[in-house]
Amino acid sequence: MASLIPKPRKKLVFLASGRGSNLEAVLQGIQKGKIPGNPAFLVTDNPEALSIQIAAKYKVPSKILDFRSFSKKEEYHKNLLELLQEISPDLIVACGYMRILKPEIIRAFPNRIINIHPSLLPAFTGLHAQKQAFDYGVKIAGCTSHFVDEGVDSGPIILQGVVKIEEGMSERELTLAILKEEHKILPLAVQYFCEDRLSIKDRKVSIL
Ligand code: GRF
């Protein structure tokens, strides 16, 4: 018999460095009641990130760890790990976080960090993925929400969104079309996580 006691909502932390449109897509999903998650904090490395304003609009507090204020990179990463451990989220959502997470952080939150990447992985990892795909001349592009492992954009894939590259499409149009898909698959991946519907076996993610 199913339990009548409602499951506690998952505690979420967002990591973002910039504009925050993916952050907003997830916060909208929570606001509309689709995602059973509690947004605890936005953590950003960039005090000028527009994401801070987006978070404030949804009454989510921000913690700013200004990357440039640390004389040693290691200090920044150490502080980030300590902050995340102190907050102790169920899930970390990297949405436009522009730094590579150190293995210590990934090991502290195994299969509990989700990232959004603007390509159909495993193609076009790293920076400027949309431009890489456009310049390569692929006919199908898209985006991927995935768990973060110790490689670059190499963790188990949760969902992918597809964009067909039409004749004459510009790189900008492609980037916008991919972003529209990102705003669908990131909230959905977070929703499935919060509903305990994701299971991983041999790096394959099943949606239960
Ligand atoms: C997105 O394209 C995301 O895939 C990439 O960085 C961009 C962030 O955009 N990782 P936004 O800050 O969510 O608007």
Side-chain angles (χ1 to χ4, degrees):
M1 203 181 106
S3 165
L4 296 174
I5 303 164
K7 283 190 191 161
R9 293 167 77 87
K10 300 277 193 260
K11 184 176 187 181
L12 309 180
V13 163
F14 299 92
L15 277 177
S17 307
R19 179 178 56 183
S21 68
N22 278 287
L23 168 69
E24 180 149 37
V26 177
L27 292 175
Q28 273 174 4
I30 295 171
Q31 195 178 59
K32 286 183 186 155
K34 288 188 190 157
I35 302 174
N38 270 336
F41 290 102
L42 162 70
V43 175
T44 182
D45 56 330
N46 173 12
E48 277 133 43
L50 284 176
S51 305
I52 299 169
Q53 292 170 33
I54 303 278
K57 188 169 139 192
Y58 291 83
K59 312 235 174 326
V60 176
S62 291
K63 300 241 184 210
I64 301 168
L65 273 188
D66 184 355
F67 183 79
R68 284 166 302 181
S69 72
F70 292 88
S71 51
K72 288 191 186 140
K73 275 200 273 195
E74 299 75 42
E75 276 300 303
Y76 166 80
H77 293 291
K78 187 170 163 283
N79 275 265
L80 178 60
L81 175 60
E82 283 170 8
L83 176 61
L84 292 172
Q85 282 175 324
E86 193 184 302
I87 302 171
S88 188
D90 296 301
L91 178 69
I92 297 170
V93 185
C95 36
Y97 177 66
M98 300 313 283
R99 303 194 182 277
I100 292 174
L101 289 166
K102 292 283 168 206
E104 295 74 32
I105 295 185
I106 292 154
R107 284 181 213 138
F109 298 94
N111 294 330
R112 290 201 283 134
I113 309 174
I114 289 178
N115 182 43
I116 180 76
H117 182 76
S119 80
L120 289 176
L121 291 171
F124 311 123
T125 57
L127 290 176
H128 313 300
Q130 307 94 327
K131 181 174 179 351
Q132 292 184 53
F134 184 81
D135 291 348
Y136 198 91
V138 294
K139 302 290 184 191
I140 304 277
C143 50
T144 305
S145 56
H146 64 96
F147 285 108
V148 175
D149 67 6
E150 291 183 33
V152 176
D153 303 320
S154 60
I157 290 173
I158 305 169
L159 293 168
Q160 295 191 298
V162 169
V163 172
K164 197 167 173 290
I165 302 185
E166 305 290 353
E167 200 57 47
M169 198 176 200
S170 68
E171 186 197 322
R172 189 181 141 69
E173 285 165 340
L174 174 63
T175 299
L176 287 173
I178 292 174
L179 191 64
K180 220 169 141 191
E181 289 302 310
E182 293 179 39
H183 295 166
K184 293 181 199 159
I185 66 164
L186 181 64
L188 204 50
V190 175
Q191 178 189 328
Y192 291 152
F193 182 95
C194 291
E195 293 171 341
D196 288 322
R197 289 174 62 193
L198 298 179
S199 108
I200 311 173
K201 193 169 171 242
D202 302 332
R203 74 158 283 125
K204 294 186 186 67
V205 179
S206 301
I207 300 164
L208 309 171

